[in-house]
Amino acid sequence: MRSLTELVLLLIVLTDFAALGTSRLSACIRAVAVQGVLLGLLSLVIDDPRSVHAVVLAVGTIAIKGGALPWFLRWAIREAAVRREIEPLVGYMGSILFGVAALSLSFAVAHTLPGAARAGLLVPVALTTLITGLLVLITRSKAVTQVVGYLMLENGVYLFGLTQARRVPFLVEAGVLLDVFVGVFIMGIVVFH
């Protein structure tokens, strides 16, 4: 079970780098959709897969983060008629280098946090996803890409919540509800282009 968890966490990091290294908005949206599905699967792998809480959390996460929000984002780029991020504040190679630095920093800092050793790779991947989302949010100029950055940042918060899923189950569900705000952001993008 531990190797499956590590595989899913590795794929989440790869989706972070995919979003950092592409200029196509549709590819960024696909990366965040895959990341949403992986987060749903991760909640099943970490928690007892037979518990109702884990199944409901996985289905809700996959439906919202892997289905509904990416669908709204695709609709927004069709309505706003944008396809690419033209001039990011930091170039794509520079963004990937910042991502590698964030990954290194996350592994260095994660060992100093209390309880991080018990969580394994979950805390460093959560930190990496959070920093990557913040990087996308700050360095991109298109509103849709900034929403993707916000989603990635929120996915990092969700990963942190998974470390406490057994002790504070409401924390993770509240993280899923943050995605409602993303829906409002997307509607604002479409209305105001």
Side-chain angles (χ1 to χ4, degrees), residues 5 22-23 26 51 60 64-65 70 110 118-119 132 134 139 145 159 163 175 181:
T5 303
T22 185
S23 66
S26 60
S51 75
I64 292 172
K65 292 179 176 290
R118 204 174 56 245
T132 302
L134 187 63
T139 62
T145 316
L159 281 169
T163 63
F181 290 118

Side-chain angles (χ1 to χ4, degrees), residues 5 7-8 16 19 35 38 45 51 68 87 119 130 133 135 141 146 157 163 182 184:
T5 303
L7 175 65
V8 172
D16 289 341
Q35 195 173 69
L38 290 170
V45 172
S51 75
E87 291 183 24
L130 198 132
L135 185 66
S141 59
Q146 290 173 345
V157 172
T163 63
V182 175
V184 173

Side-chain angles (χ1 to χ4, degrees), residues 33-51:
V34 168
Q35 195 173 69
V37 171
L38 290 170
L39 290 174
L41 294 176
L42 188 64
S43 63
L44 278 178
V45 172
I46 288 177
D47 206 354
D48 180 20
R50 295 171 301 218
S51 75

Side-chain angles (χ1 to χ4, degrees), residues 53-151:
H53 178 260
V55 171
V56 168
L57 185 61
V59 169
T61 302
I62 290 171
I64 292 172
K65 292 179 176 290
L69 289 174
W71 182 83
F72 277 128
L73 283 170
R74 283 186 203 101
W75 178 68
I77 65 172
R78 273 194 312 270
E79 291 295 317
V82 292
R83 299 285 179 245
R84 290 185 175 275
E85 180 73 39
I86 301 198
E87 291 183 24
L89 190 59
V90 176
Y92 299 106
M93 188 56 76
S95 294
I96 290 177
L97 291 175
F98 277 129
V100 169
L103 183 64
S104 303
L105 180 70
S106 298
F107 273 97
V109 169
H111 297 295
T112 64
L113 297 174
R118 204 174 56 245
L121 293 177
L122 189 60
V123 173
V125 171
L127 276 171
T128 301
T129 303
L130 198 132
I131 294 170
T132 302
L134 187 63
L135 185 66
V136 170
L137 184 65
I138 291 172
T139 62
R140 302 303 194 251
S141 59
K142 298 287 183 195
V144 174
T145 316
Q146 290 173 345
V147 170
V148 167
Y150 175 80
L151 275 174

